[in-house]
Amino acid sequence: MADGKVSCHGCNGPIEGVYITAFGKEWHKEHLKCNVCQHDFSDRPMYEGKDGKPYCKQDYISTFAPKCEKCRQPIVGKVLHALSKIWHPHHFTCSKCDAPLVGKGKYGMYKGLPYCTLHTPVALKQMTKEEEEQQKLDTKAKLKEKQEDLLTQMDLVRNSLSLSLSLS
């Protein structure tokens, strides 16, 4: 509206005659449409998006509502924040048995996933084959080290016995 004329926010063209004001901006009637589906608002409510553009309810929700970590769908209504993620409260369940975790107080986490107290130890025991092989190698190395320590101690005892026998 630099020269006193009204401009349409949808097409930036001049508006002569009747226009619609929505979200503090002027629009040609035919240009006030949902930013996603392009439907007009003659039979549905409109919502202003965080970007200042008009949206129908369905597209506003799918564009701006937080998404559930488990189902990836928009969350409308109660939101649960847990493990630095957002969930539908009914989707915050044990990753092993699907038991609800909301209101249970205690739950565990393994690799970013929630587990009930019964299955947290099971989850922690789950290892990749690579982790299992590394654990076996580490165990073998520790056993070999202990065996060498025992042999050294036995040699010390044997030497000390033979030394004390020869002194007597």
Side-chain angles (χ1 to χ4, degrees):
M1 189 163 36
D3 54 8
K5 292 190 177 184
V6 178
S7 296
C8 173
H9 188 71
C11 72
N12 293 321
I15 298 176
E16 295 179 14
V18 179
Y19 60 88
I20 298 173
T21 301
F23 314 128
K25 301 168 185 132
E26 293 75 25
W27 308 76
H28 288 114
K29 181 181 178 196
E30 63 272 12
H31 292 150
L32 184 58
K33 299 177 182 178
C34 174
N35 191 51
V36 177
C37 70
Q38 300 301 308
H39 282 101
D40 66 33
F41 298 106
S42 59
D43 63 346
R44 65 188 75 197
M46 71 177 125
Y47 298 81
E48 182 177 14
K50 295 174 185 174
D51 56 4
K53 296 177 182 173
Y55 291 85
C56 66
K57 183 177 182 177
Q58 180 180 343
D59 291 329
Y60 179 85
I61 289 169
S62 66
T63 303
F64 297 106
K67 307 294 188 282
C68 174
E69 181 64 26
K70 187 170 187 176
C71 71
R72 303 286 187 225
Q73 295 300 308
I75 302 173
V76 179
K78 290 185 179 181
V79 174
L80 175 75
H81 294 269
L83 305 176
S84 302
K85 297 173 184 170
I86 299 172
W87 312 77
H88 285 108
H90 62 278
H91 282 158
F92 188 59
T93 59
C94 174
S95 296
K96 179 88 173 161
C97 69
D98 243 1
L101 299 175
V102 174
K104 300 296 182 196
K106 293 183 179 180
Y107 57 86
M109 180 181 80
Y110 179 69
K111 293 190 177 181
L113 298 173
Y115 289 88
C116 65
T117 53
L118 177 67
H119 290 113
T120 297
V122 174
L124 294 174
K125 289 178 186 174
Q126 292 175 346
M127 292 187 216
T128 64
K129 290 192 185 276
E130 195 172 286
E131 288 172 325
E132 283 181 32
E133 288 302 314
Q134 186 59 51
Q135 188 179 45
K136 286 178 187 176
L137 290 173
D138 291 346
T139 302
K140 283 181 182 178
K142 286 178 186 173
L143 287 173
K144 186 174 182 176
E145 190 176 306
K146 282 184 181 180
Q147 185 180 23
E148 289 172 358
D149 286 347
L150 284 172
L151 289 172
T152 303
Q153 287 176 0
M154 287 172 62
D155 283 343
L156 288 172
V157 168
R158 192 177 311 126
N159 288 340
S160 118
L161 280 174
S162 65
L163 185 65
S164 63
L165 286 175
S166 63
L167 293 175
S168 11

